Amino acid sequence: KNQVEQSPQSLIILEGKNCTLQCNYTVSPFSNLRWYKQDTGRGPVSLTIMTFSENTKSNGRYTATLDADTKQSSLHITASQLSDSASYICVVYNNAGNMLTFGGGTRLMVKP
Amino acid sequence: NAGVTQTPKFQVLKTGQSMTLQCAQDMNHEYMSWYRQDPGMGLRLIHYSVGAGITDQGEVPNGYNVSRSTTEDFPLRLLSAAPSQTSVYFCASRSIYEQYFGPGTRLTVT
């Protein structure tokens, strides 16, 4: 069964600190992996897209990594800001691109 | 370019009532889909459409109907609302590069 597991479920950090969110998946065949940010009361918004051949991709203070061998991805947030408070969702697309498997998300709270 | 729009933003229904959640996109995307999001769970696919006149079931289709008469619109109908359908509903449309989500409809069934 295709599954995406995210950890931790929730995280509280102080403003300015770094953090890393984890995503493990068992989706097969794999097409790509995406990280989304979902602010409270809003729809998810794409942060990064990782294909099979990509190990690292950055988007500002967000850096995603992908290890296709171990089927793990991480999202590292540098110098966190209050506006980073949100849920971060890992989504894996299968090879056909038609089916998406969503992780349950990590809820991040950045405190001043 | 409004992207993906959804109405209403909030809705309260009584058990047994029916209603339609509206979704529209102005990006000329062929692929559109409906998800529900429940606390502690990932988004789950209800129905999807790969083009006007073509719809198919997702992971949790029971209790919901869809139609796709135009490229722009993809309404979701609840036939007879049940408390188990209390959730946040997201419509999304996709290009080959990216998926765009609407702002969501928060539905409560009492």
Side-chain angles (χ1 to χ4, degrees), chain B:
Chain B
N1 189 332
V4 180
T5 58
Q6 290 183 238
T7 57
K9 197 163 179 61
F10 301 95
Q11 182 70 50
V12 178
L13 289 178
K14 292 188 187 316
T15 296
Q17 286 184 316
S18 63
M19 79 159 293
T20 299
L21 280 63
Q22 301 292 343
C23 174
Q25 52 95 5
D26 60 0
M27 297 173 280
N28 204 33
H29 292 161
E30 294 292 335
Y31 191 104
M32 296 184 72
S33 50
W34 276 102
Y35 295 90
R36 60 177 289 173
Q37 186 176 39
D38 301 295
M41 302 182 70
L43 280 81
R44 291 182 291 168
L45 182 65
I46 304 171
H47 284 284
Y48 66 96
S49 168
V50 297
I54 307 169
T55 63
D56 207 345
Q57 296 181 350
E59 181 184 354
V60 288
N62 292 340
Y64 308 95
N65 272 0
V66 291
S67 60
R68 185 93 181 272
S69 56
T70 67
T71 300
E72 294 78 21
D73 300 299
F74 190 41
L76 178 72
R77 279 183 287 277
L78 279 70
L79 309 172
S80 177
S84 61
Q85 294 178 304
T86 293
S87 187
V88 182
Y89 291 85
F90 289 99
C91 178
S93 75
R94 276 171 62 181
S95 67
I96 58 173
Y97 302 110
E98 189 52 83
Q99 175 152 257
Y100 302 88
F101 288 89
T105 294
R106 183 174 293 275
L107 176 67
T108 301
V109 183
T110 61

Side-chain angles (χ1 to χ4, degrees), chain A residues 65-91:
Chain A
T65 65
L66 175 65
D67 185 333
D69 292 330
T70 62
K71 298 185 177 175
Q72 296 179 325
S73 176
S74 66
L75 181 69
H76 185 76
I77 304 174
T78 304
S80 61
Q81 300 176 358
L82 298 179
S83 59
D84 293 330
S85 295
S87 288
Y88 292 84
I89 302 172
C90 176
V91 185

Side-chain angles (χ1 to χ4, degrees), chain A residues 4-109:
Chain A
V4 176
E5 303 277 350
Q6 291 188 243
S7 62
Q9 281 192 332
S10 61
L11 183 62
I12 300 173
I13 62 174
L14 292 176
E15 187 178 13
K17 298 296 186 184
N18 304 335
C19 66
T20 300
L21 315 181
Q22 301 290 344
C23 173
N24 296 341
Y25 63 92
T26 59
V27 176
S28 181
F30 174 89
S31 175
N32 61 79
L33 182 148
R34 306 178 187 215
W35 283 93
Y36 287 83
K37 179 186 180 189
Q38 184 177 20
D39 293 311
T40 301
R42 312 286 288 271
V45 175
S46 180
L47 290 174
T48 65
I49 301 172
M50 307 284 290
T51 59
F52 187 85
S53 59
E54 294 176 306
N55 299 118
T56 303
K57 184 173 282 189
S58 292
N59 178 4
R61 295 180 296 102
Y62 300 102
T63 299
T65 65
L66 175 65
D67 185 333
D69 292 330
T70 62
K71 298 185 177 175
Q72 296 179 325
S73 176
S74 66
L75 181 69
H76 185 76
I77 304 174
T78 304
S80 61
Q81 300 176 358
L82 298 179
S83 59
D84 293 330
S85 295
S87 288
Y88 292 84
I89 302 172
C90 176
V91 185
V92 181
Y93 286 57
N94 76 351
N95 204 36
N98 293 326
M99 294 304 295
L100 290 67
T101 305
F102 288 79
T106 292
R107 183 175 293 278
L108 174 67
M109 183 178 296

